[in-house]
Amino acid sequence: MSLLIRNARVLDPASGTDAVMDVCVENGEIHSMGENINGFPGAEVIDASQQWLIPGAVDLGSWLREPGLDHKATLATETSAAAASGVTTLCYQPEPGASVDNSAQVNLIQDLSDAQGRANVQVIGNITHQLAGETLSNMGGLKRAGCVAVTNGWQPYADLDVMRKAMEYATTHDLTVFVYPLEHALANKGFMHEGAVSTRLGLPGIPAAAETVAVAQTLSLMELTGTRVHFCRLSAAGSVRLLRQAKQSGLAVSADVAAHQLFLTETDLMDYNPLCHVRPPLRAESDRVALLEGLADGTIDAICSDHQPHETDAKLAPFQQTEPGIAGLETLLPLTMRLVEDGTLSGLEALNKITFQPARIIGSEAGRITQNAQADLVLFDPDALWTFTLETMRSQGKNSPFENWAFQGSVSHTFLAGQPVYSAT
Amino acid sequence: MHPHFKPGPLPLSMQLTPEGKLKHFLSTEGLPHLLLHDIMDRAEQFVTLPAKQQKKAPFLRGKTVMNLFFENSTRTRVTFEIAAQRLGADVTNLDIRTSSATKGETLLDTVRNLEAMNADMFVVRHEHAGTAQFIARYCAPHISVLNAGDGRHAHPTQAMLDMFTIRQKKGDFAPLKVAIVGDILHSRVARSQIHALTSLGTGEVRVIAPKTLVPAGLDKMGVNIFNNLDEGLKDLDVVIALRQQRERMDSALLPSEQEFFKLYGLTDKRLEATKPDAIVMHPGPINRGVEIDSRVADGSRSVIMEQVTNGIAVRMAVMSMIMGSMAGGAA
């Protein structure tokens, strides 16, 4: 199928392009772009005047649940939620109950998502067997099957020596290690940020040091092993500081933050709202400000959804009995664009954090609009005003704290390899 | 799915009806000081009633009160039971730990079943913070919830019986210096006392404990923190000792009972730093020789037994006010 998108304002952070032009798509790739392009005969023509054409977003962390935890979500439901939200590449996050130990599991996930054809699903593999933190997974096989990184998720390593060896073995196979920084002993079975609010609510707290200690340890192990590490879901000001120093000293390190962490803080838990129960916990306002500064100065490379869909019962209980996580896929792009409204980032900088940068971190060619690139594209109406509601969520999990938030700008079309996978009309 | 079952915030404001009357009693936080005084005034009436009449104040006649104790506590449960019976209610005790919860039933399912048995009031104790608020948010609208202790969060009737005891002994709260001594970190009683004392305009509220037992950001609750007992006791009118749980000694929070008693135990000698007429309180059950010396517990400053008696009056007061507001009348 051929496609000719006319008069779109093309925003491509990778090249710094911000100009009105036509884009011609042929055979799933961007064939040509410029002013007054002639499309192929029979091409579908879309007049995109007043609209932005942006790369489809690349999400570094989606807990897609299937196979294993299908009662929470399936690849079918979540990839169609992604398509409607302008996300064209999802990184499958392994977890206990839905972990990725061998190439057969990688192939199964890819087959199931390819059958839907709604989004590219890239698989992050287990770094230890069953994520138990004790023995190594078959990382060589995982790499050959197409895993873009390996991780132990939020599961602890038995000890730092296992972590060291896992990092060395991952490096042997040129795999980036996704580290969720948490010193479990210091987290002390807590449920929220340790501070005045946790004290008031009587909820056991997780100090910011539970994260910063783990960041510092990991940075030391990076120096020892030469591993490429990506830190997932930073939440604490101290972590941003450590990372900034590490980058200045030339370590091959990158980091992301969950979009909700940039807008919510511990005070959003004042009424025990289980929809704000997340890991890492929502922290103090000073942490939120430090995360924004880290984004602006490039210390934090990417913003991700940390999408964790849940069944209703997982959130319908006293706070300590609820499961952590926000179904964040459908608010990734809206919240990121709100950073532009707030003046935190420019439009290109904001898009960079959810397209080119995350693609670079997983070694993917996605997330850019350039000749011969795969045509994973989003048409975005920057003027549309809309309100987010749980009833209209496409994800199987309706667990979002952003109900009734008003957003400016919405996705009108999503294309995956040139094929329309979502259209608002 | 019925919107009633949608997960979401559990606002404390649901304690009050739109008219400002007590609908649930979940926390002392955020309640107007006049309402706290109303509770104490009502308790005063129950205390001063002649013994015979005290046992026949049928505010709750025809009502069913269910004690839902997910955590063991014979003593607290019994005081609620007596209070409800004196008000003429039918009382049912459910020890949930040994029944449905262990069979995998969700908390909401348990609540639904008890609603179907025509409950009017749930008295709830649970090991997790916010459970009473959760039940109040999701139970049928005609039911009231009384929090009998949720995790480290709140134990509002205990705090109110303590306030009532202080008011009986000292009158106005404004000139008072009050200190809470011991394990603040794990104590729902301390949190409820702090909210009540600050709402009632207490001159100074202190907490006295080692750093391991002082939770983060406690100063934001309007208290002065002392790590040294002798400094903290100076010029006090009221000293409240907390029960020191034995299991804290097994973790890294405290070295030993002996050291705790030596540094933070209340003795006659150390209480000399307080005002001569200072009173000593304890929510019970006491650990003699850990947080309090026997001579103090049984001595002239101690009001511990009065607290126990007042506990029933305060619980009767709260229950009758809640049911009164439900009927739209008496309270």
Side-chain angles (χ1 to χ4, degrees):
Chain A
M1 162 183 178
S2 299
L3 187 65
L4 182 61
I5 299 167
R6 285 222 182 271
N7 297 318
R9 178 177 165 192
V10 174
L11 289 161
D12 177 45
S15 60
T17 304
D18 178 356
V20 175
M21 62 177 90
D22 301 341
V23 174
C24 171
V25 174
E26 174 71 10
N27 290 330
E29 290 184 354
I30 294 170
H31 177 270
S32 51
M33 46 199 291
E35 285 182 41
N36 298 315
I37 297 263
N38 288 320
F40 286 82
E44 185 186 340
V45 179
I46 295 177
D47 177 16
S49 308
Q50 316 300 323
Q51 297 209 61
W52 296 359
L53 184 70
I54 60 179
V58 178
D59 185 25
L60 286 176
S62 282
W63 309 60
L64 297 175
R65 313 297 200 191
E66 187 186 10
L69 300 169
D70 316 36
H71 61 290
K72 293 187 182 291
T74 64
L75 287 159
T77 55
E78 304 318 291
T79 53
S80 74
S85 313
V87 180
T88 49
T89 298
L90 294 166
C91 291
Y92 183 102
Q93 171 65 37
E95 61 185 309
S99 72
V100 183
D101 262 325
N102 53 52
S103 52
Q105 282 163 311
V106 180
N107 295 336
L108 177 59
I109 292 163
Q110 279 169 349
D111 289 349
L112 286 168
S113 52
D114 288 350
Q116 299 297 325
R118 298 264 158 186
N120 308 310
V121 173
Q122 302 287 357
V123 181
I124 303 169
N126 293 359
I127 194 168
T128 64
H129 181 63
Q130 300 281 318
L131 302 173
E134 286 166 359
T135 56
L136 302 183
S137 70
N138 300 310
M139 282 183 246
L142 290 172
K143 170 81 179 182
R144 280 195 301 280
C147 280
V148 292
V150 284
T151 187
N152 219 44
W154 287 113
Q155 308 310 116
Y157 291 91
D159 57 50
L160 284 176
D161 187 50
V162 175
M163 185 173 178
R164 172 207 172 154
K165 285 172 176 139
M167 288 169 78
E168 284 174 336
Y169 193 70
T171 307
T172 308
H173 297 285
D174 193 29
L175 281 162
T176 303
V177 178
F178 276 36
V179 172
Y180 287 76
L182 181 69
E183 173 49 49
H184 288 255
L186 276 174
N188 202 18
K189 300 186 184 98
F191 293 86
M192 66 173 292
H193 176 60
E194 181 181 296
V197 180
S198 68
T199 290
R200 192 170 276 258
L201 292 174
L203 288 172
I206 304 170
E211 177 176 303
T212 53
V213 163
V215 169
Q217 277 182 345
T218 306
L219 290 171
S220 296
L221 288 178
M222 282 180 71
E223 288 176 356
L224 178 68
T225 60
T227 307
R228 200 165 59 234
V229 164
H230 174 71
F231 284 107
C232 302
R233 316 310 112 85
L234 294 188
S235 70
S239 305
V240 180
R241 258 196 317 275
L242 287 168
L243 198 67
R244 191 174 284 130
Q245 289 166 6
K247 284 194 162 184
Q248 279 163 4
S249 73
L251 276 183
V253 64
S254 56
D256 70 53
V257 61
H260 56 251
Q261 207 81 35
L262 304 169
F263 294 90
L264 305 175
T265 64
E266 56 178 342
T267 57
D268 289 290
L269 285 124
M270 275 304 286
D271 43 18
Y272 290 108
N273 190 349
L275 298 174
C276 293
H277 181 192
V278 287
R279 185 171 48 185
L282 300 174
R283 295 206 181 271
E285 177 63 13
S286 53
D287 293 300
R288 191 184 76 89
V289 169
L291 292 171
L292 291 173
E293 287 167 1
L295 266 182
D297 72 9
T299 303
I300 298 175
D301 302 84
I303 305 171
C304 74
S305 73
D306 197 37
H307 179 61
Q308 296 181 45
H310 282 296
E311 75 281 20
T312 305
D313 280 348
K315 289 288 189 186
L316 199 56
F319 194 90
Q320 286 168 258
Q321 295 170 27
T322 60
E323 292 180 48
I326 288 173
L329 201 45
E330 290 161 81
T331 45
L332 174 62
L333 183 58
L335 289 174
T336 302
M337 295 316 288
R338 189 178 267 223
L339 296 173
V340 182
E341 252 177 86
D342 296 348
T344 306
L345 301 174
S346 72
L348 278 178
E349 283 169 342
L351 288 170
N352 194 25
K353 304 287 185 191
I354 55 170
T355 58
F356 177 64
Q357 290 301 332
R360 180 185 61 80
I361 287 163
I362 57 168
S364 161
E365 295 294 315
R368 65 198 83 184
I369 302 179
T370 183
Q371 213 171 352
N372 300 328
Q374 178 167 314
D376 297 346
L377 300 169
V378 172
L379 271 175
F380 185 79
D381 176 358
D383 299 319
L385 294 171
W386 60 289
T387 301
F388 183 79
T389 60
L390 304 191
E391 285 71 30
T392 51
M393 283 180 80
R394 285 176 169 77
S395 168
Q396 192 170 316
K398 314 294 181 201
N399 48 303
S400 169
F402 295 107
E403 181 161 41
N404 296 326
W405 278 47
F407 292 108
Q408 183 174 355
S410 72
V411 173
S412 56
H413 293 83
T414 305
F415 302 95
L416 186 70
Q419 296 294 319
V421 288
Y422 172 75
S423 171
T425 48
Chain B
M1 166 141 312
H2 194 282
H4 188 66
F5 293 107
K6 201 163 137 179
L10 312 173
L12 253 184
S13 56
M14 67 187 161
Q15 290 196 101
L16 299 177
T17 65
E19 297 77 38
K21 301 218 164 146
L22 210 53
K23 158 75 180 162
H24 306 287
F25 194 43
L26 309 170
S27 168
T28 51
E29 184 181 358
L31 290 179
H33 70 101
L34 284 176
L35 183 69
L36 301 184
H37 276 296
D38 283 348
I39 294 172
M40 293 188 276
D41 293 345
R42 179 69 70 96
E44 189 72 48
Q45 290 172 18
F46 286 125
V47 167
T48 53
L49 277 178
K52 257 189 177 173
Q53 285 179 35
Q54 210 186 93
K55 294 182 183 174
K56 282 184 187 171
F59 287 88
L60 268 63
R61 181 177 289 155
K63 303 286 186 188
T64 300
V65 173
M66 291 193 176
N67 283 331
L68 273 59
F69 277 59
F70 296 85
E71 194 181 70
N72 293 329
S73 167
T74 311
R75 177 187 303 238
T76 307
R77 201 201 68 214
V78 165
T79 60
F80 276 105
E81 195 175 339
I82 292 171
Q85 281 168 347
R86 288 195 182 163
L87 292 167
D90 297 319
V91 185
T92 307
N93 291 313
L94 290 113
D95 183 0
I96 315 265
R97 181 158 292 232
T98 58
S99 59
S100 47
T102 51
K103 292 178 191 154
E105 189 179 55
T106 71
L107 182 57
L108 269 189
D109 286 332
T110 305
V111 168
R112 286 279 164 279
N113 276 280
L114 299 174
E115 278 173 9
M117 298 174 201
N118 289 325
D120 296 292
M121 184 187 286
F122 292 141
V123 177
V124 180
R125 169 166 289 195
H126 199 286
E127 63 185 317
H128 290 153
T131 302
Q133 261 160 273
F134 176 78
I135 293 175
R137 163 68 182 78
Y138 291 102
C139 69
H142 71 276
I143 292 177
S144 286
V145 177
L146 220 158
N147 186 3
D150 60 328
R152 303 174 184 179
H153 174 232
H155 193 352
T157 58
Q158 175 68 46
M160 286 315 298
L161 76 88
D162 297 331
M163 296 308 111
F164 180 51
T165 308
I166 294 172
R167 198 178 78 163
Q168 273 183 328
K169 297 289 171 188
K170 298 287 175 191
D172 188 12
F173 286 85
L176 298 183
K177 291 187 201 302
V178 180
I180 306 168
V181 187
D183 184 359
I184 315 292
L185 176 65
H186 298 91
S187 177
R188 52 193 169 213
V189 174
R191 285 172 177 77
S192 284
Q193 286 168 337
I194 290 168
H195 287 305
L197 286 166
T198 52
S199 294
L200 289 164
T202 307
E204 186 187 353
V205 184
R206 301 176 185 170
V207 303
I208 308 170
K211 285 180 191 287
T212 47
L213 298 179
V214 178
L218 186 70
D219 52 316
K220 301 230 169 62
M221 283 172 72
V223 298
N224 292 324
I225 298 166
F226 291 78
N227 297 130
N228 179 297
L229 180 67
D230 295 321
E231 286 170 24
L233 288 178
K234 249 175 228 159
D235 302 322
L236 285 182
D237 298 282
V238 179
V239 189
I240 304 172
L242 295 174
R243 178 175 163 77
Q244 185 57 54
Q245 305 281 343
R246 289 252 151 93
E247 58 264 30
R248 307 294 175 225
M249 309 297 169
D250 300 331
S251 60
L253 290 162
L254 290 173
S256 66
E257 290 185 351
Q258 292 76 12
E259 175 146 320
F260 185 79
F261 183 68
K262 199 172 164 204
L263 296 177
Y264 296 97
L266 296 178
T267 62
D268 278 331
K269 177 85 186 127
R270 307 191 84 159
L271 287 166
E272 284 171 12
T274 65
K275 287 192 186 149
D277 61 347
I279 56 171
V280 173
M281 304 173 70
H282 192 296
I286 61 175
N287 292 315
R288 291 168 187 265
V290 181
E291 68 265 3
I292 192 164
D293 184 58
S294 279
R295 271 162 296 187
V296 174
D298 305 328
S300 58
R301 293 174 186 275
S302 167
V303 296
I304 296 171
M305 283 306 121
E306 279 138 296
Q307 286 175 270
V308 176
T309 307
N310 287 341
I312 295 179
V314 162
R315 283 164 185 137
M316 288 173 77
V318 171
M319 286 179 164
S320 65
M321 284 170 71
I322 286 175
M323 283 302 162
S325 76
M326 293 304 288

